[in-house]
Amino acid sequence: MIYAANFKTNHTRKSTELYLNELTDKITGKKSEDRIYIFPPSTALDIYEGVFKIGAQNAYACANGAYTGEIGLEQLDEFDIKTILIGHSERREYMRESQDQVAQKFSFFQEHEFEIIYCIGEPLHIREKGFEAVMQYLLAQFEGIDIGYKNLIVAYEPIWAIGTGRSATIEEISNTHRALKKAINNKPLLYGGSAKPANIKEITTIAGVDGVLVGSASLDASSFAEMILA
Ligand code: 13P
């Protein structure tokens, strides 16, 4: 299983270091095949020792240059970071990243052989229209994306389940993952949206779920460790 923690705009450099030490202590008993990813805020990026990979929540599609406020390849290279989240709904919504921009970013980091966790997800009004509308919406988020890319992991995160405490139902996850798996040629597929210790077991036993991308419940090292060991 893949367990990925997206800190979003939480934690500092200092608290990330403490977190990673605590997590490392707590997950010594994890299964050897389990893969752990941590996405701290960019101010906390660094080289850390441990059984996890550190990734960037975002970066600009450039090596370096005049892009005020952004970080590029050069800043990620400094810490050997080769993993990135692209397409998160919060960036699409709040930072107004268009599908074109998302696809451009994807191509750039693909060229540089990054492992990409590519996020897709539908808003509530689309979910309420039914399954066909959901799939149509989700598949449109693959426009311009090379789903044959060898270092691709997809994360399905229904927007209405993010940070709301209300995860999608087992049936919703199951149906959506089954259809998505076909569309992405069986690439690894994570579920995200209110995954937490209380529901991790039932989510990770669903066919077509290869792991989870966790926000709120990953912020506390004990809670995330509990999910990994569940
Ligand atoms: P929550 O786990 O807080 O719902 O967030 C999910 C998410 O957006 C991870 O990228």
Side-chain angles (χ1 to χ4, degrees), residues 6 8 85 88 90 157 161-164 192-195 213-217:
N6 177 8
K8 309 188 179 183
L85 286 183
H88 195 283
E90 285 153 13
E157 301 200 296
I162 295 179
T164 57
S194 298
L213 179 55
V214 189
S216 326

Side-chain angles (χ1 to χ4, degrees), residues 90-101:
E90 285 153 13
R91 293 210 58 87
R92 293 180 193 262
E93 188 182 346
Y94 307 138
M95 284 34 153
R96 302 267 190 276
E97 281 187 12
S98 66
Q99 185 59 33
D100 268 2
Q101 288 168 319

